[in-house]
Amino acid sequence: MAARSRSRTKETRRRLVRKGEPTATEKPTDVEVTLIRNKNAARDRLYAKFERAAAAFRPMVHQGQLPCREEEWNTVTNHLRQAVKQGGSMQVLYVSGMPGTGKTALLMEAISQLRTAGTVNFTLVHVNAMRLGTPSAVFGNIASQLPLNRSGGSSTAVARGDLNRFFSDRGKSDPVVLLLVDEIDHLVTSNQAVLYRIFDWVALPRARLVTVAISNTMDLPERLIPRVASRFDIVRVDFQPYDRAQLTRILCERLQAYDATEAFSEITLKLCAARVAAGSGDIRKALQVCRGAVEARLRCLREDGPVGIQHLETAMRDLLHASPAVKAITGLGLKARRFLTAFFLETRRLQQDSVPLRSIAERYGKLIDLSIADAELSGFTPGDVQATEFSIHADDAEFLVKRLEGMSLLTKHDSWEVDAAGTFCALGPGLDSDDLVAALLASETDEAVKELVQDKKNGA
């Protein structure tokens, strides 16, 4: 009996020592204390390593030249330096590319370095057109950031007039104005009057103006009407989506900068990069997934080893389920999901994030026809099909885009060409193409449609 009691006591002590705590009835030996301290210290070091890794993947921690954008960096910095130095430029620096390709980050870093150099004096005016209530509100926004003499009133016409006078007669000693218009796509109107006014300042001989336009659409210059396009020349810088090797390099360099390389297994980083590159190539998505993987690993501190594939899978599931937009998509009816599928296939085919409603509607009709064909093969008669959800109405596309716009899943704007009828559509705020694809695949039951979404060649 006594031997059994002593055995239980020893087992209890061993169990408590494993937890890092001394027994309540017996004082641990020096060896046991050392083991406890070493184990606690190792756990603290492990936690600190993962904390550094999480910090490395914060979106705005990077400073200096962006990796994998050396050619774009040289073009942008050379143009800005020369344009500001010579007192303005009649060329517009047009920076385009899909979201998450580093456009704004690179430009802001280039402007920061230009300001730090202090060789020339300039005033930065930064406008994000997506945050404006209407395209014409850009004039009041620009006027509020400049030291101009206001003529009174707050209307758009007054602000536009004040700006015209400001840029028409500036002295040689006046600082250059560096006008950076982000999301310039949102300033497009059917007659392109807002863009005409802005680009008209570039042509003024005494404007002392350097204009930079950032766009998610690569072909905006080609869609400008002649009277707008004739006002300026373009220096074009196109940002391609990051590929797998570039994403891997960026993630590794961030970990190295925070002394957290050992926090991730190499295969986990490569898998994350491969999955993001196969979708949007958006670096923000890769950073978000990696941070989620670190958080998943921190919930399992009793485990050994770095962040692994299982933690990456957990992070991707958590991000998908946490998105209100994704939840809304999975709850949509068949027609709305087919319309979103058509939208995605057209954005991939045209390689741009804003596509004509007309082409979406045509693709939508083909998807519906595909569903009808499958229904007929399953034993439905044409009459039965017409009585089901597959029936097609001429106003389907207009109805669906209004519904999806009301749910903030899509946005729409007027055509950029005066002689082109219809509307253009883009993804709504809070939804990226990766989440859209994941939500569509999760809710899709038709294998043929799934193949279209997954297969880039056939989907095009």
Side-chain angles (χ1 to χ4, degrees):
M1 189 70 179
R4 185 181 302 172
S5 178
R6 285 195 298 272
S7 177
R8 288 177 179 172
T9 301
K10 289 181 179 178
E11 177 59 27
T12 301
R13 283 180 56 190
R14 282 196 294 270
R15 189 161 56 249
L16 290 172
V17 167
R18 282 197 298 268
K19 293 182 179 181
E21 303 172 1
T23 64
T25 58
E26 298 183 45
K27 183 178 180 180
T29 65
D30 290 343
V31 173
E32 290 171 335
V33 169
T34 301
L35 289 173
I36 294 170
R37 288 176 177 172
N38 288 344
K39 193 163 188 176
N40 289 342
R43 185 168 57 191
D44 290 342
R45 288 195 298 271
L46 186 67
Y47 185 84
K49 177 174 65 178
F50 291 132
E51 285 289 290
R52 293 196 303 273
F57 295 129
R58 289 177 186 148
M60 302 305 294
V61 299
H62 187 274
Q63 292 183 345
Q65 181 178 337
L66 267 67
C68 307
R69 294 298 187 206
E70 290 78 11
E71 182 178 347
E72 294 88 345
W73 172 266
N74 291 334
T75 302
V76 167
T77 53
N78 290 338
H79 175 83
L80 291 179
R81 189 184 306 110
Q82 186 64 29
V84 172
K85 184 178 180 180
Q86 68 186 16
S89 174
M90 294 185 67
Q91 293 180 315
V92 173
L93 180 62
Y94 181 75
V95 180
S96 63
M98 297 294 285
T101 52
K103 305 183 299 294
T104 303
L106 185 145
L107 274 163
M108 296 308 294
E109 180 61 28
I111 292 171
S112 176
Q113 290 195 17
L114 185 63
R115 175 169 285 159
T116 302
T119 55
V120 287
N121 185 25
F122 67 91
T123 299
L124 173 64
V125 176
H126 186 188
V127 177
N128 189 321
M130 187 172 64
R131 299 177 182 175
L132 301 175
T134 61
S136 59
V138 68
F139 299 112
N141 192 300
I142 295 173
S144 68
Q145 300 182 55
L146 289 173
L148 45 77
N149 295 321
R150 305 298 295 270
S151 57
S154 57
S155 68
T156 297
V158 170
R160 188 171 63 238
D162 291 341
L163 289 169
N164 288 339
R165 286 188 291 273
F166 176 80
F167 287 116
S168 295
D169 190 19
R170 306 193 67 217
K172 291 184 178 181
S173 61
D174 291 335
V176 171
V177 173
L178 201 168
L179 175 60
L180 173 61
V181 184
D182 206 345
E183 305 282 356
I184 197 170
D185 317 65
H186 292 268
L187 299 184
V188 175
T189 58
S190 58
N191 61 4
Q192 300 184 8
V194 174
L195 291 179
Y196 177 82
R197 296 289 184 183
I198 292 175
F199 292 139
D200 192 44
W201 299 332
V202 176
L204 297 175
R206 303 177 65 177
R208 295 185 63 80
L209 176 65
V210 177
T211 304
V212 181
I214 304 177
S215 172
N216 292 332
T217 305
M218 293 187 179
D219 65 345
L220 177 58
E222 286 72 35
R223 293 179 176 273
L224 296 176
I225 58 179
R227 78 184 187 103
V228 177
S230 64
R231 310 308 296 168
F232 59 95
D233 294 325
I234 287 181
V235 175
R236 186 192 294 267
V237 184
D238 293 332
F239 281 60
Q240 297 299 322
Y242 289 107
D243 60 28
R244 179 175 57 183
Q246 291 173 329
L247 289 171
T248 302
R249 174 186 164 187
I250 293 171
L251 296 176
C252 288
E253 288 185 2
R254 282 182 171 245
L255 288 175
Q256 291 170 2
Y258 278 74
D259 189 25
T261 304
E262 296 178 355
F264 269 75
S265 67
E266 182 179 359
I267 191 171
T268 303
L269 283 180
K270 288 184 176 180
L271 179 60
C272 176
R275 289 189 175 179
V276 174
S280 61
D282 188 334
I283 183 59
R284 300 170 302 181
K285 185 74 172 182
L287 296 176
Q288 188 180 23
V289 171
C290 284
R291 275 184 61 83
V294 174
E295 293 171 1
R297 178 64 180 85
L298 284 172
R299 295 195 291 267
C300 310
L301 275 180
R302 292 187 180 277
E303 296 180 3
D304 293 326
V307 176
I309 294 176
Q310 68 274 26
H311 306 114
L312 185 72
E313 299 285 359
T314 299
M316 299 190 80
R317 286 195 302 269
D318 290 346
L319 287 174
L320 189 63
H321 294 156
S323 171
V326 170
K327 291 180 181 178
I329 292 172
T330 55
L332 290 172
L334 178 63
K335 283 189 174 183
R337 285 188 282 110
R338 286 287 191 272
F339 189 84
L340 286 174
T341 301
F343 166 80
F344 168 72
L345 295 176
E346 285 304 295
T347 60
R348 191 169 64 188
R349 181 179 69 86
L350 298 174
Q351 288 295 298
Q352 57 190 46
D353 66 343
S354 182
V355 293
L357 175 58
R358 180 171 52 192
S359 65
I360 302 171
E362 291 174 357
R363 175 78 73 157
Y364 166 73
K366 293 177 181 178
L367 291 175
I368 294 296
D369 289 342
L370 179 63
S371 298
I372 292 175
D374 289 344
E376 290 175 340
L377 288 173
S378 301
F380 285 99
T381 66
D384 294 329
V385 172
Q386 290 299 321
T388 69
E389 191 178 7
F390 300 133
S391 59
I392 303 174
H393 303 285
D395 58 349
D396 259 3
E398 288 290 346
F399 170 78
L400 289 170
V401 77
K402 287 179 181 178
R403 180 187 175 193
L404 295 171
E405 185 182 28
M407 299 173 68
S408 297
L409 297 177
L410 291 181
T411 61
K412 64 179 182 179
H413 58 82
D414 293 334
S415 171
W416 295 335
E417 299 174 82
V418 174
D419 58 348
T423 302
F424 278 68
C425 297
L427 279 179
L431 180 64
D432 60 32
S433 60
D434 290 334
D435 288 343
L436 174 62
V437 170
L440 290 174
L441 291 176
S443 56
E444 185 56 64
T445 57
D446 190 319
E447 291 300 322
V449 176
K450 279 187 176 181
E451 289 180 7
L452 284 174
V453 173
Q454 292 174 317
D455 186 350
K456 289 187 177 183
K457 291 183 180 179
N458 291 339

